[in-house]
Amino acid sequence: MNEIEITNLPGQLTGPEIFERNAPLCMEIGCGYDSFILKMARIMPECNFIGVELERWVLNKLIRKARRVNLPNVRLLRADAKAVLESDVPSGSIRNFFVNHPDPWPKKRHRQRRLVNDYFLDLLIDRLEPSGKIYYCSDFEDYSLQVAGKLYSTGLMRNLSGHSLVVTDLPDYPRTRFMNRFLALGQPIHFVVMEKI
């Protein structure tokens, strides 16, 4: 069974109640019904993966995919990611965070609704283990620049993308359906990769 029942949350998602083994923990925020987390779980079988998604109908589709491939290192949780990070994820416990295409709220008057804001990024940094990484991507360049600027300005994160804080190519990073859709239209994807110092 890949789904974590909210009613049975142990209080901390790193506990042995979630996985039958102790292993580094990675988390995808807003996994949707894409297969990204399943691809990552195959690429990194030495890690446990938790996908967090708020929408039930969306998560149900991914649960069905996860059951078909039956990967022992994947669990899926329907919950608000911010609330989960605040109450169920201990400081310094996550190896990698993956945030792919969060809702951009492109209009300026709506941007305060963006999930990935300064407070949320501070949460991610705190929950990362030393040398843990944050992978972020969006088709909105301004959103990626905002995220990269905040992470870099903390002095707690090191840029792993070369000379630029935001790049449009990240070799070997699994493609999501959103990435493929935008790339087919000739629109670039903007990646941020930072490591906790």
Side-chain angles (χ1 to χ4, degrees):
M1 181 65 117
N2 291 100
E3 185 178 9
I4 302 170
E5 293 290 342
I6 293 177
T7 53
N8 296 329
L9 275 181
Q12 292 197 334
L13 291 179
T14 53
E17 301 89 346
I18 303 298
F19 294 93
E20 291 76 41
R21 65 174 188 167
N22 289 318
L25 182 62
C26 298
M27 181 175 287
E28 184 184 6
I29 305 293
C31 53
Y33 57 80
D34 198 80
S35 300
F36 176 86
I37 192 170
L38 306 180
K39 295 172 185 175
M40 288 304 306
R42 285 195 192 97
I43 292 169
M44 301 171 65
E46 72 281 6
C47 291
N48 292 331
F49 285 82
I50 292 179
V52 182
E53 171 58 50
L54 185 59
E55 296 293 337
R56 161 58 70 191
W57 71 271
V58 171
L59 191 62
N60 282 343
K61 290 187 175 186
L62 183 56
I63 289 169
R64 287 193 290 271
K65 291 180 183 179
R67 285 176 178 160
R68 284 197 294 270
V69 296
N70 194 30
L71 293 167
N73 61 332
V74 175
R75 298 291 182 273
L76 303 170
L77 171 65
R78 186 184 66 81
D80 177 84
K82 183 164 71 77
V84 166
L85 289 169
E86 289 173 331
S87 61
D88 300 303
V89 179
S91 179
S93 64
I94 302 294
R95 170 69 53 86
N96 295 322
F97 280 110
F98 300 93
V99 186
N100 296 314
H101 296 280
D103 194 328
W105 292 104
K107 293 181 180 178
K108 280 194 174 181
R109 67 178 183 273
H110 293 157
R111 288 185 185 176
Q112 71 275 10
R113 299 181 189 176
R114 287 178 169 177
L115 171 67
V116 186
N117 55 28
D118 287 359
Y119 173 72
F120 190 82
L121 291 171
D122 285 337
L123 276 176
L124 295 187
I125 293 169
D126 178 75
R127 278 24 175 200
L128 275 180
E129 64 182 41
S131 299
K133 299 177 183 67
I134 295 174
Y135 293 83
Y136 171 93
C137 74
S138 174
D139 52 299
F140 278 78
E141 184 179 21
D142 81 293
Y143 204 173
S144 298
L145 289 169
Q146 172 193 330
V147 168
K150 163 60 181 178
L151 290 173
Y152 192 71
S153 70
T154 64
L156 300 172
M157 303 295 290
R158 174 174 40 240
N159 176 37
L160 298 182
S161 300
H163 297 295
S164 176
L165 294 180
V166 178
V167 296
T168 55
D169 184 38
L170 198 59
D172 303 322
Y173 194 79
R175 295 294 183 243
T176 69
R177 64 190 179 87
F178 282 112
M179 289 180 203
N180 288 330
R181 180 189 304 169
F182 290 117
L183 290 171
L185 294 171
Q187 296 176 245
I189 306 300
H190 306 280
F191 296 94
V192 178
V193 186
M194 299 260 183
E195 179 181 55
K196 189 172 183 178
I197 298 171

